[in-house]
């Protein structure tokens, strides 16, 4: 019985792609994202109890938004218009 | 002219000394103004319109000299004497946040002699020695300051002068790195006299210690420009590009805060301690955009400067 249950678990894992944590995905992609036009920051937020990647952009411009992904390695992305960050 | 306005003109002549044809102008030293408004009875406004006579101080009629008693009615219009005090123009008094205060506390204006002004975060300790904590760009002028440079309280923008408002000297700072990534915009100043500083933060009180903030946690800060404000932590692991006078730097593992009502911070608030509602320090405010505020994590600040919050 135990072996069967374990087999079932392995089969289930094979169909679902393993989802990396938001922190891991952020680390993988942030240097590339930070070089994109209009991107001022990358962070992690929460939506419906799940961690998501946040991309902070300078302004709401179609030219900036068009280049941004909707998800990264199956972690959803939320775009937040943040303006430009300056030392206060 | 209605009878009320006519009566008011008579009052202006006889109580305030304004010119009026065919009438001798006299003034009553206790009267500061005349107008038309609702008659109030025992503090409650009634529907009746009355001739309002505003006085410095309301005195019982029996104690007022006969010629200074205000009649119950003038030209058939009832009068109503109201205590208004003395009117004066509003002279702008700078708030405590921008004044010279000894002992100086968290939330107050401070800065390197060459910058405008920032905020004193709080006191920190290293091996029994007490230091003032704020940002590198507040106390060390973005890496350009040198150990021993005078630190003014209030900052130069708030009238601080190098001959009388120097509270201490620049001690240590974490250099900001234009090429790599940064965790902390922090610096320490050594006060000349420990009696010139106190661990309190204006409007917040003493800190309990340091902890890590969590997403959606409510926080507050006390700062030179926007004073005490409240906000919510919306990110605790942000990587951001921040513009400085000397260039733009990338910061990692930062917290982002959104103001509860309007902006959480503005220029001059740099250096404010971000405090959780349980009294623990969670961050050191250093930057912001028109929508959000950014703070270093206090745990990184303590580690980078090798100090503990007092």
């Amino acid at each position: 019985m135990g072996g069967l249950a374990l087999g079932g678990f392995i089969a289930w894992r094979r169909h679902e792609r393993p989802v990396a944590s938001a922190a891991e995905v952020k680390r993988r992609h942030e240097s590339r994202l930070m070089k994109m036009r209009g991107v001022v920051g990358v962070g992690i937020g929460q939506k419906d109890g799940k961690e998501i990647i946040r991309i902070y952009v300078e302004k709401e411009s179609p030219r900036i938004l068009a280049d941004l992904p909707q998800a990264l390695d199956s972690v959803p992305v939320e775009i937040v218009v943040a303006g430009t960050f300056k030392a206060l | 002219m209605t009878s009320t306005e006519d009566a008011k003109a008579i009052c202006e002549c006889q109580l305030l000394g304004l010119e009026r044809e065919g009438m001798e102008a006299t003034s009553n030293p206790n009267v500061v103004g005349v107008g038309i408004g609702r008659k109030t009875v025992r503090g409650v406004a009634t529907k009746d319109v009355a001739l309002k006579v505003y006085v410095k101080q309301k005195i019982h009629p029996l104690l007022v000299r006969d010629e200074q008693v205000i009649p119950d009615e003038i030209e058939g219009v009832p009068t109503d004497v109201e205590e208004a005090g003395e009117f004066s123009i509003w002279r702008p008094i700078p708030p405590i946040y921008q004044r010279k205060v000894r002992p100086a506390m968290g939330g107050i204006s401070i800065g390197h002699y060459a910058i405008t002004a920032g905020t004193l975060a709080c006191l920190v300790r290293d091996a029994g020695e007490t230091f003032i904590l704020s940002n590198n760009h507040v106390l060390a002028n973005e890496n350009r300051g040198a150990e021993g440079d005078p630190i003014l309280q209030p900052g130069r923008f708030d009238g601080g002068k190098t001959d009388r408002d120097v509270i201490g000297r620049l001690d240590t700072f974490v250099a900001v790195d234009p090429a790599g990534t940064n965790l902390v915009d922090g610096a320490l100043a050594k006060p000349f006299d420990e009696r010139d500083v106190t661990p309190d933060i204006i409007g917040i009180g003493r800190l309990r210690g340091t902890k890590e903030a969590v997403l959606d946690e409510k926080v507050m800060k006390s700062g030179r420009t926007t004073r005490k404000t409240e906000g919510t932590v919306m990110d605790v692991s942000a990587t951001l590009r921040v513009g400085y006078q000397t260039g733009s730097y990338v910061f990692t593992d930062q917290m982002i805060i959104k103001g509860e009502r309007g902006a959480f911070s503005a220029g001059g608030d740099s250096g404010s301690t971000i405090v959780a509602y349980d009294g623990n320090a969670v961050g050191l405010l250093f930057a912001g955009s028109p929508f959000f505020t950014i703070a270093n994590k206090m745990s990184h600040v303590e580690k980078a400067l090798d100090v503990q919050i007092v």
Side-chain angles (χ1 to χ4, degrees):
Chain A
M1 275 301 278
L4 254 180
L6 186 65
F9 175 69
I10 291 166
W12 171 76
R13 289 285 291 178
R14 209 181 296 144
H15 290 291
E16 291 269 318
R17 253 208 314 171
V19 177
S21 73
E24 168 62 27
V25 173
K26 171 178 169 279
R27 195 146 44 84
R28 240 180 253 163
H29 295 274
E30 73 179 3
S31 59
R32 176 177 64 84
L33 292 169
M34 289 297 284
K35 287 192 194 104
M36 291 175 74
R37 183 182 50 201
V39 173
V40 293
V42 182
I44 295 171
Q46 249 176 17
K47 203 161 208 181
D48 308 323
K50 280 191 187 145
E51 289 202 317
I52 48 132
I53 304 282
R54 276 228 192 88
I55 301 179
Y56 297 95
V57 296
E58 195 183 293
K59 57 182 182 221
E60 193 167 355
S61 139
R63 298 207 316 178
I64 295 171
L65 302 183
D67 296 342
L68 299 176
Q70 298 200 321
L72 287 165
D73 302 343
S74 339
V75 177
V77 166
E78 184 186 40
I79 313 286
V80 175
V81 178
T84 317
F85 292 119
K86 285 199 177 79
L88 300 174
Chain B
M1 199 186 275
T2 67
S3 60
T4 314
E5 276 171 5
D6 202 29
K8 194 185 99 186
I10 293 170
C11 267
E12 284 169 349
C13 174
Q14 297 197 328
L15 300 173
L16 289 169
L18 267 62
E19 299 287 335
R20 184 179 156 84
E21 238 185 85
M23 192 177 267
E24 195 194 337
T26 54
S27 67
N28 182 324
N30 197 29
V31 175
V32 294
V34 173
I36 297 165
R38 301 265 176 232
K39 187 172 174 80
T40 54
V41 177
R42 277 174 232 103
V44 182
T46 65
K47 279 184 185 163
D48 303 329
V49 169
L51 200 56
K52 304 286 279 190
V53 178
Y54 301 100
V55 295
K56 282 182 205 163
Q57 200 179 18
K58 217 166 172 172
I59 306 164
H60 194 278
L62 288 175
L63 299 173
V64 182
R65 283 159 59 182
D66 283 352
E67 69 273 21
Q68 285 181 5
V69 172
I70 289 145
D72 286 343
E73 54 167 71
I74 291 169
E75 301 283 292
V77 182
T79 62
D80 184 18
V81 178
E82 187 139 358
E83 191 170 78
E86 268 185 276
F87 293 117
S88 64
I89 56 158
W90 291 120
R91 252 178 280 272
I93 301 166
I96 184 170
Y97 293 88
Q98 290 155 26
R99 269 185 273 153
K100 178 173 182 167
V101 179
R102 298 290 183 275
M105 60 266 275
I108 217 157
S109 169
I110 198 166
H112 182 272
Y113 74 95
I115 73 141
T116 49
T119 297
L120 191 165
C122 58
L123 300 186
V124 292
R125 197 168 284 156
D126 173 30
E129 266 194 284
T130 301
F131 296 95
I132 289 166
L133 173 69
S134 188
N135 295 134
N136 170 332
H137 79 270
V138 172
L139 298 180
N141 192 17
E142 297 182 25
N143 293 355
R144 290 170 294 190
E147 193 183 330
D149 276 358
I151 303 299
L152 310 179
Q153 194 296 303
R156 189 169 58 88
F157 189 81
D158 297 317
K161 297 273 185 290
T162 43
D163 56 351
R164 47 160 216 246
D165 302 317
V166 180
I167 192 166
R169 296 200 172 278
L170 173 61
D171 190 90
T172 322
F173 60 89
V174 180
V176 278
D177 179 4
T181 58
N182 297 275
L183 279 175
V184 168
D185 176 351
L188 303 178
K190 176 82 190 146
F192 287 131
D193 189 336
E194 289 203 4
R195 286 168 298 183
D196 281 345
V197 288
T198 162
D200 289 296
I201 296 176
I202 307 173
I204 292 177
R206 298 262 161 122
L207 295 169
R208 181 182 282 187
T210 306
K211 70 162 195 181
E212 297 290 337
V214 294
L215 274 186
D216 301 325
E217 185 160 4
K218 297 252 183 285
V219 293
M220 56 191 151
K221 77 98 189 55
S222 194
R224 179 233 166 248
T225 308
T226 59
R227 310 180 200 183
K228 194 182 168 193
T229 53
E230 285 148 22
T232 308
V233 176
M234 56 172 281
D235 200 320
V236 289
S237 39
T239 303
L240 306 155
R241 190 177 297 110
V242 180
Y244 281 74
Q245 267 182 18
T246 50
S248 124
Y249 308 106
V250 174
F251 282 80
T252 59
D253 210 23
Q254 303 298 306
M255 36 195 291
I256 303 184
I257 297 143
K258 190 174 170 24
E260 208 69 7
R261 288 171 293 273
F264 184 72
S265 68
D269 285 331
S270 266
S272 305
T273 309
I274 309 290
V275 186
Y277 274 58
D278 61 9
N280 278 301
V282 295
L284 179 66
L285 193 159
F286 77 108
S289 76
F291 310 111
F292 305 117
T293 296
I294 315 170
N296 305 141
K297 292 184 181 175
M298 199 53 99
S299 55
H300 289 318
V301 175
E302 285 186 319
K303 202 182 285 174
L305 288 162
D306 193 20
V307 291
Q308 245 91 55
I309 274 190
V310 176

